[in-house]
Amino acid sequence: MPDTKLLLCDCLKSQSLNVEAIEKTTGIPCSKVYTELCRKEAASAAEALEAGPVVIACQQERDAFQELAEELGVADPIFVDIRDRAGWTADSVSTAPKMAALIADALLPEPGARVVDVISAGTCLILGDPEPALDAAAMLCDSLSVTVLMAPDAEPPVSDDRRYDVVRGRIRSATGALGRFKLSFDALQERLPGGRGAFAWTEPRNGARTGCDILLGLRREPALLPAADKREGYLRADPGNSQARTRVILQASQMVGTFEKPIHIRLDEQLCAHSRARKTGCTRCLDLCPTGAITPAGDHVAVDTMVCAGCGSCSAACPSGAISYDAPPVSHTFNRLQTLAATWRKLSETPPRLLVHGPGHGAEMIRLGARFGRGLPADVIPMEMTGLAGFGHAEALGALGCGFASVTILVSPETEQDGLPFQAELTNAISGGTRIELIEPSDPDQLEEALYAKAPSAPLEQPILPLGSRRQIARLAAKALAPDAAVINLPAGAPYGSVSLDTDACTLCLSCVSLCPSGALKENPDSPQLRFQEDACLQCGICTTICPENALSLDPRLNLGDDALRPRVLKEEEPFHCVECAKPFGVRSTVERLTEKLAGRHSMFQDNKAVRLIQMCDDCRVNAVYHSENNPFAGGERPRVRTTDDYISKRRDH
């Protein structure tokens, strides 16, 4: 990054900084080492901000430096934390390689996020028992348009508050997210505010529908929507917990206006292997999506970006790359891995270990461990990921291929964990051993204990450059990690593999070829052949579903040989030659089998002329039928075209 300066601070002399090594490795000019840059030496920070773009090696005082930049009217600086993640450690080994790697990672340009505007007009539906729901409505009705929904048999207290509406009923279904919830009701009754005494109610009505921008649940019943805590605009609290009620009421009051929602997932429908010709194949993303944002849509799936919470599970599991994480893109993740590993190698020959964590719970665990415990080991490089569940086997193999000795994923309570165990199992099967593990420590001490107990590993002889698709990088990393392996057996459900063919059962109908979404199964237009390219197989299972003879089965494995990149013949037969023109067509065994079954046994094939039709190519068959005595294409003699003379002669006759 040209003309950029790195501001370093030892935070009251609590960490040691090797300025020369950092400057030489990252290529960015460094300042002198300050001691209290955020307070006593803030004038130096202001001077640097005015002089040009800077990188400040401190995250704790980010707000203070941003306020300073705003006062000066300059752009916000870039921030990188080398204190909590590197400098504060009980490890006696130098942390300069890790600091340099973290700084190089922070200097990578961040891809711009795709966003969509979400508009909330403030219509709010409150669900709950009368007392807590009406109290919340009274607090929110001045800022939101509020409707309270109570149970059909609920009797609200006497109140004449007209600032909000009250209805009774049961919710039949609910979909959507902030700004676009859709609900349907049964036994819906609206309050009639007129008359003397208690309010009356309309007759119960089923099938009523409405929409709202915000859903506020104040009841102990199960959530209306899956993964409710990840559904924007859907707030829930225990009605008996006053603090929780106050918190969600405050949150609801702020959900009015136009908001930017990141588009977490990119979908390429043409690559999707979900279905072909109504035969279901891959359902990995559908099985893992916690919010139900992914739904079938014919031959492919569809993603509701408003409902998607961005966990990344679908991206990690997708075998074809049809669904990929896009906030940031998968290619940026591989670029970060390469940058971290390559920068480390400039200062150390010992391979580093990678600790992947999320921005919330995981980052806080690391900060607490650094301030009050031993901190991270010097060889553990933390990498923060927004969609932690999107760090799948391809990313883990890419990290190992770049030179990391191991990968540890710090799982938190907010992480979607359904798909991660299989991704770890798949990575270990391909890499050989237990190089990736999932940990879920309850406190920083357990995190440190798990990391300090690991023994160092030998470096990778030839690190890879992670370029290409996730499948290509996974294959490249596997060859680097297991150079002598030819074929690696994988667990069931793996996205790599071969197919086994029962050649005796196969009739070469080629139904599998016509529906294979990746082109792994191929035909030969010049000869009856079924060919297969193993590298392209997604193990989606459509071929096994469509095969009328049940001749195909899946064989999960990773073939690292060059033969996996070339089509090989699974079965071939001699073509049948047309009895009229001798042109090869069809499969000899199939034509002979049809002739044997139909000749003399079917009403349409009682004579030799009809039987010969089976043994003709398409052109000769049409020609033979056209010139036959019972030609179905023949018609009567065409009438003569009428002319003007015909009309004139007709008038004369009359």
Side-chain angles (χ1 to χ4, degrees):
M1 185 178 294
D3 303 326
T4 300
K5 189 173 185 179
L6 176 63
L7 301 186
L8 297 172
C9 179
D10 62 16
C11 198
L12 299 177
K13 301 187 183 302
S14 61
Q15 63 175 338
S16 176
L17 301 172
N18 189 335
V19 179
E20 182 180 353
I22 293 174
E23 190 172 72
K24 180 180 179 180
T25 307
T26 61
I28 179 172
C30 297
S31 70
K32 72 171 188 177
V33 177
Y34 295 97
T35 296
E36 199 175 352
L37 187 62
C38 58
R39 295 292 184 271
K40 292 181 179 180
E41 297 166 311
S44 299
E47 183 180 346
L49 286 169
E50 289 181 319
V54 297
V55 178
I56 300 179
C58 178
Q59 278 280 17
Q60 176 179 287
E61 300 299 326
R62 182 188 188 105
D63 292 342
F65 289 118
Q66 286 181 331
E67 290 177 4
L68 180 59
E70 186 177 355
E71 291 176 4
L72 297 173
V74 298
D76 286 346
I78 298 173
F79 296 94
V80 55
D81 173 22
I82 61 172
R83 184 194 66 180
D84 296 341
R85 299 190 292 168
W88 282 358
T89 177
D91 201 334
S92 59
V93 180
S94 172
T95 58
K98 178 159 65 167
M99 288 184 177
L102 294 173
I103 292 169
D105 178 41
L107 293 175
L108 290 175
E110 190 76 22
R114 296 187 301 149
V115 297
V116 61
D117 286 342
V118 177
I119 300 175
S120 171
T123 56
C124 177
L125 179 64
I126 301 178
L127 318 174
D129 297 331
E131 184 176 350
L134 294 176
D135 287 345
M139 298 173 66
L140 289 171
C141 61
D142 291 334
S143 56
L144 304 177
S145 176
V146 178
T147 299
V148 177
L149 175 67
M150 295 180 293
D153 56 350
E155 287 297 335
V158 177
S159 173
D160 196 24
D161 196 335
R162 307 298 179 89
R163 295 177 300 168
Y164 53 84
D165 295 326
V166 178
V167 296
R168 296 192 303 194
R170 293 186 301 272
I171 293 182
R172 177 194 295 178
S173 64
T175 59
L178 177 65
R180 53 182 67 191
F181 286 106
K182 301 296 181 184
L183 304 104
S184 63
F185 305 88
D186 284 336
L188 182 67
Q189 294 178 282
E190 298 180 61
R191 184 177 64 174
L192 296 175
R196 185 172 183 271
F199 292 122
W201 300 89
T202 61
E203 290 297 320
R205 183 161 55 101
N206 294 331
R209 298 176 180 273
T210 190
C212 65
D213 299 317
I214 306 162
L215 268 179
L216 178 56
L218 299 176
R219 57 183 186 176
R220 293 185 174 89
E221 297 180 12
L224 289 174
L225 301 165
D229 57 325
K230 300 180 183 297
R231 188 70 60 108
E232 294 181 358
Y234 184 27
L235 307 172
R236 300 175 66 232
D238 185 341
N241 188 331
S242 59
Q243 291 184 349
R245 290 205 319 267
T246 302
R247 182 174 62 253
V248 296
I249 289 172
L250 179 60
Q251 291 176 350
S253 66
Q254 306 299 315
M255 291 184 173
V256 181
T258 301
F259 305 89
E260 286 188 346
K261 175 176 172 52
I263 300 177
H264 299 285
I265 297 299
R266 185 180 294 273
L267 173 64
D268 188 341
E269 298 175 352
Q270 294 182 347
L271 297 178
C272 183
H274 168 60
S275 173
R276 292 294 185 274
R278 299 184 180 181
K279 298 295 183 181
T280 302
C282 177
T283 61
R284 292 174 173 90
C285 61
L286 294 167
D287 298 336
L288 290 175
C289 183
T291 62
I294 305 177
T295 54
D299 286 349
H300 53 82
V301 298
V303 180
D304 187 340
T305 57
M306 295 295 103
V307 176
C308 175
C311 70
S313 298
C314 55
S315 176
C318 182
S320 66
I323 285 184
S324 59
Y325 203 77
D326 200 43
V330 173
S331 58
H332 181 67
T333 300
F334 286 115
N335 192 16
R336 293 183 63 192
L337 293 171
Q338 164 65 15
T339 300
L340 289 169
T343 306
W344 171 278
R345 285 196 299 271
K346 294 178 182 179
L347 294 176
S348 177
E349 295 181 357
T350 304
R353 293 179 286 161
L354 183 67
L355 176 65
V356 188
H357 64 90
H361 178 87
E364 184 63 18
M365 189 85 71
I366 293 172
R367 284 192 290 268
L368 291 174
R371 181 172 288 275
F372 301 105
R374 290 185 290 174
L376 297 179
D379 66 335
V380 173
I381 300 180
M383 188 174 88
E384 186 175 300
M385 289 280 297
T386 304
L388 188 59
F391 196 90
H393 74 278
E395 288 76 13
L397 288 170
L400 297 174
C402 286
F404 285 97
S406 63
V407 177
T408 301
I409 299 180
L410 176 53
V411 179
S412 69
E414 60 200 23
T415 305
E416 288 300 329
Q417 302 184 31
D418 290 346
L420 281 175
F422 180 76
Q423 294 298 317
E425 180 187 2
L426 183 57
T427 304
N428 287 328
I430 295 175
S431 62
T434 56
R435 299 196 181 195
I436 180 174
E437 65 174 345
L438 310 176
I439 61 174
E440 191 174 2
S442 58
D443 56 54
D445 291 337
Q446 289 187 4
L447 171 62
E448 293 166 0
E449 183 179 350
L451 296 176
Y452 276 92
K454 284 285 186 179
S457 303
L460 187 67
E461 292 185 5
Q462 188 62 44
I464 68 168
L465 186 62
L467 297 176
S469 66
R470 296 179 74 247
R471 292 179 66 88
Q472 292 169 336
I473 293 173
R475 178 181 175 82
L476 185 63
K479 295 186 72 171
L481 295 168
D484 298 328
V487 177
I488 301 174
N489 294 323
L490 300 180
Y496 312 96
S498 180
V499 293
S500 298
L501 178 68
D502 183 347
T503 54
D504 294 333
C506 177
T507 62
L508 284 179
C509 68
L510 302 181
S511 298
C512 53
V513 172
S514 63
L515 296 185
C516 181
S518 64
L521 289 165
K522 308 171 183 290
E523 65 175 330
N524 186 344
D526 300 323
S527 177
Q529 283 184 347
L530 175 61
R531 301 189 295 173
F532 174 70
Q533 183 173 329
E534 185 168 343
D535 178 60
C537 181
L538 306 177
Q539 297 283 286
C540 64
I542 292 179
C543 59
T544 62
T545 304
I546 194 62
C547 180
E549 311 298 337
N550 295 321
L552 286 165
S553 60
L554 301 180
D555 180 16
R557 67 179 195 175
L558 182 59
N559 186 350
L560 300 179
D562 293 339
D563 58 314
L565 306 176
R566 297 186 296 267
R568 57 184 171 90
V569 177
L570 295 181
K571 182 177 181 179
E572 64 178 334
E573 290 192 24
E574 293 183 10
F576 188 87
H577 292 271
C578 177
V579 294
E580 286 290 330
C581 67
K583 182 176 71 174
F585 79 98
V587 182
R588 172 174 292 277
S589 62
T590 301
V591 174
E592 291 176 349
R593 190 180 302 115
L594 287 173
T595 303
E596 180 183 352
K597 287 185 176 182
L598 297 177
R601 302 182 182 182
H602 192 279
S603 59
M604 294 183 62
F605 298 95
Q606 294 297 318
D607 55 36
N608 290 333
K609 290 184 178 180
V611 172
R612 282 176 61 85
L613 293 177
I614 303 175
Q615 303 169 339
M616 294 182 187
C617 66
D618 294 342
D619 295 336
C620 294
R621 188 180 303 118
V622 171
N623 187 55
V625 171
Y626 185 81
H627 291 91
S628 64
E629 295 179 359
N630 299 320
N631 178 14
F633 304 111
E637 183 179 352
R638 296 183 62 182
R640 187 175 64 85
V641 178
R642 296 175 65 87
T643 65
T644 303
D645 293 339
D646 294 326
Y647 287 102
I648 294 174
S649 62
K650 187 175 181 180
R651 290 177 183 174
R652 290 173 180 171
D653 294 340
H654 290 287

